[in-house]
């Protein structure tokens, strides 16, 4: 069963505003096994909105409209939906009484324009609003249902939960949706897709979606079944094959971020971490400490943006800088070893590179990053070349450093 | 002239994700006098998307689609638009060569599936992508235009600004719009609005929009006139009154970020900067070094997340920690002085605080942040209490530290 959500309001078409009610509604619809296949934002325009409702009715069983139920002239949702369904608006004396009563209780007199809110679409069920004057409406039509909800979240949410959700549960055939989110580091999107597409393409259910951010890919599996057990079985079946193909490139099976995964492993091992950052200049430490409680395993470290501070704060031999250059594996190695020694941490990560746009050399062109990792057995370093602009190079460098530590932690 | 924006991607129909590209696009379209009358989100479904494009073409002159241009099977935008326009997809050898070249430069081999991105809609103009492999497309059709842009903002935004915007400016009827962006630090949005609203409300043109981020407010003025001179005159007239009211709380008159403003002043003064970060753990340094060329004035510094490292790396006296607590003005002062001395920088900023959600004490509840600033005349510290969650407290702490340095730099 499919649903569409139409948010009504010209203010939602400005550069400053987004419709967020649809997130709340989608979550609850998905839990009933109802898929949201289209979302729209339409301004306060009666004929445009009526056309949008007609289009949605031609495609989907459930249409939810949010907003445009106020008392003013530019609140057009009631009229537009009535027009789309070819029904009239009818006056409900009991609703007017209830609206007047609300005003009375608030010690105010109802303005004449609020009468408009007592008109409902012919044949609709009307819901009272605990936190406002706009009633919500439920209109069944040719085996479909059109639902009108007030726009303010404080009015929409309680009304949806109290009135709409139980009615939808009875109305829609029950289905269950279960999802699984894998996260993968250190692999370009196209390589990953080439590897796993032959597997996931065999399944129309679960649906597979791949989302790529710099250095970080999410694989979303979504199974839609009659029972939770069946959905989980399908996720295990497809997920199992993906896990075999990607192996330890998968760092999370539940959508957790890399800094959360690394943090949990450090904590479990009773280990601590320090950093020495040059081109990332704090970005690595800031990522690690996004996690509440990271002070349990993160000690601190060194920002050595200038060559001079690499020598003075970390004890990187000046001869090493002169011989290999600031962006080199020996320097990354020495930075990691220096940070570990000076902070007494179990592990230390070091990053030195050329994020660009300028500063590249023949030996280390823009995008070159060397990462060092030190532990009780010594210090290693690896050299990478990341594509993209300054921000992307720094982000991928952080991701790559964290992922190396994750693998080391096993 | 009307536009519609269609965001493509099943992930944008989940309860977790919103389409934000449309805000960026709307702002620029509005600046050209183009109204956005409908926004849609459609999943990765070829026929549903083709139908959405057909519907939009029947209503509006300009259709922008974002996303669904990747190399995988579930990237359906090219095919859906071709179907809606009744055109075929044609292979462009030069685009394939350019995509292959991108991979080569990154030291990788192109995966076979990326060939799909070299197919364009018959008769379209193709734009190269600086930050990805998906070309953008511009297709004119019966006096309308359909524009296909990649989904990732880092790809979409530069492509839109470089290729699409100038083309739209020529294509749409001309109007002159001039904007000015003030940025303000250290003031809550409601206080700012109360102060300047009596002034800007008198003007229907320029339009004033206030955008608030944690610790950072932008005031956008937009004048729409027959000539550029008239628009600039109106901006000067309203802007001048706002500048008088806000004084040195305004840190930028051209939209530049605080880190750019501070960096320019440090460079102009021939001064250098170092940091000592506890609760922000690298976020301050990462902000400063987002600016290309920041190595001219930023030396580096210390991440002293643990109390122990505050003593060992910065020489903060242990007695000071015991007497005043880790989050205190004397400790922030000692951190700043220690960082300055050890890096030989002109200025040093220090941040120590409780970002939460746990770790608060009676003396320093969650949200308490002490900031230190050292220069040749000594070290000062200030105490703040910032509302909000962990991420917000850290962001506002960074903003506040940078703004203090900006004022010191004069």
């Amino acid at each position: 069963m499919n649903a569409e959500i139409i948010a009504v309001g010209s203010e939602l078409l400005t550069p400053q505003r987004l419709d967020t009610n649809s997130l709340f509604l989608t979550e609850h619809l998905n839990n009933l096994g109802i898929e949201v296949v289209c979302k729209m934002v339409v301004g306060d325009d009666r004929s445009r909105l009526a056309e949008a409702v007609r289009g949605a009715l031609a495609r989907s069983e459930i249409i939810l409209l949010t907003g445009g139920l106020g008392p003013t002239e530019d609140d057009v949702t009631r009229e537009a939906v009535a027009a789309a369904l070819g029904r009239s608006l009818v006056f409900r004396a009991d609703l007017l009484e209830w609206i007047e009563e609300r005003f009375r209780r608030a010690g105010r007199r109802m303005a004449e324009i609020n009468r408009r809110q007592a008109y409902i679409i012919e044949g609709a069920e009307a819901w009272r609003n605990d936190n406002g004057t706009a009633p919500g409406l439920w209109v069944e039509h040719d085996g479909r249902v059109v639902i009108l909800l007030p726009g303010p979240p404080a009015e929409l949410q309680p009304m949806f939960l109290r009135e709409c959700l139980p009615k939808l549960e009875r109305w829609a055939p029950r289905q269950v949706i279960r999802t699984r989110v894998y996260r993968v580091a250190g692999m370009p999107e196209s390589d990953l897709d080439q590897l796993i597409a032959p597997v996931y393409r065999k399944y129309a259910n679960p649906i597979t979606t791949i989302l790529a951010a710099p250095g970080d890919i999410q694989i979303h599996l979504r199974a839609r079944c009659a029972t939770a057990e069946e959905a989980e079985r399908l996720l295990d079946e497809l997920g199992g094959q993906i896990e075999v193909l990607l192996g330890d490139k998968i760092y999370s099976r539940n959508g957790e971020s890399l800094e959360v995964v690394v943090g949990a492993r450090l904590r479990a091992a009773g280990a601590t971490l320090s950093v020495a950052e040059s081109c990332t200049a704090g970005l690595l430490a800031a990522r690690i400490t996004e996690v509440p409680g990271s002070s349990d395993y993160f000690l601190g470290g060194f920002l050595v943006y200038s060559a001079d501070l690499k020598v003075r704060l970390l004890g990187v031999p000046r001869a090493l800088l002169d011989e290999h250059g600031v962006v080199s594996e020996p320097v990354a190695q020495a930075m990691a070893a220096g940070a570990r020694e000076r902070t007494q941490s179990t592990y230390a990560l070091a990053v030195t590179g050329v994020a660009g746009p300028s500063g590249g050399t023949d030996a280390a062109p823009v995008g070159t990053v060397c990462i060092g990792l030190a532990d009780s057995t010594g210090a290693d370093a690896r050299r990478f070349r990341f594509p993209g602009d300054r921000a992307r190079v720094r982000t991928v460098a952080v991701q790559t450093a964290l992922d190396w530590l994750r693998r080391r932690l096993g």
Side-chain angles (χ1 to χ4, degrees), chain A residues 151-308:
Chain A
E155 302 181 27
L156 177 143
Q157 296 187 5
M159 183 189 286
F160 180 84
L161 295 175
R162 193 192 62 220
E163 305 284 358
C164 188
L165 194 55
K167 232 175 135 69
L168 269 176
E169 271 171 348
R170 291 190 297 274
W171 195 81
R174 288 197 71 83
Q175 263 196 319
V176 176
I177 290 180
R178 285 289 181 279
T179 59
R180 182 171 302 175
V181 178
Y182 291 105
R183 295 184 69 162
V184 177
M187 208 173 175
E189 181 190 12
S190 47
D191 291 1
L192 177 135
D193 194 61
Q194 210 158 15
L195 188 62
I196 68 170
V199 166
Y200 73 69
R201 279 216 203 105
K202 287 185 292 187
Y203 292 79
N205 186 26
I207 294 168
T208 301
T209 312
I210 296 173
L211 297 179
D216 197 6
I217 304 177
Q218 302 191 12
I219 307 168
H220 290 238
L221 309 185
R222 230 163 101 87
R224 194 162 150 173
C225 295
T227 66
E229 294 67 36
E230 176 63 5
E232 291 292 347
R233 197 193 59 72
L234 278 177
L235 289 178
D236 286 342
E237 187 182 312
L238 172 54
Q241 296 172 68
I242 289 174
E243 291 186 30
V244 167
L245 287 171
L246 293 176
D248 75 347
K249 289 214 156 60
I250 295 173
Y251 69 77
S252 165
R253 283 164 184 75
N254 59 4
E256 276 179 343
S257 67
L258 191 49
E259 60 271 22
V260 166
V261 170
V262 166
R265 293 197 190 177
L266 284 168
R267 183 181 278 116
T272 56
L273 175 65
S274 66
V275 298
E277 301 189 56
S278 180
C279 68
T280 51
L283 218 49
L284 173 57
R287 266 285 290 283
I288 294 165
T289 56
E290 270 174 30
V291 183
S294 45
S295 56
D296 291 351
Y297 46 81
F298 182 68
L299 301 182
F302 302 83
L303 303 169
V304 286
Y305 215 51
S306 72
D308 187 48

Side-chain angles (χ1 to χ4, degrees), chain A residues 365-394:
Chain A
V366 168
T368 306
V369 176
C370 293
I371 298 178
L373 173 54
D375 64 16
S376 61
T377 67
D380 276 341
R382 293 181 188 173
R383 189 185 186 85
F384 301 88
R385 177 82 184 278
F386 301 126
D389 65 7
R390 182 178 182 84
R392 192 183 194 282
V393 168
R394 301 201 327 159

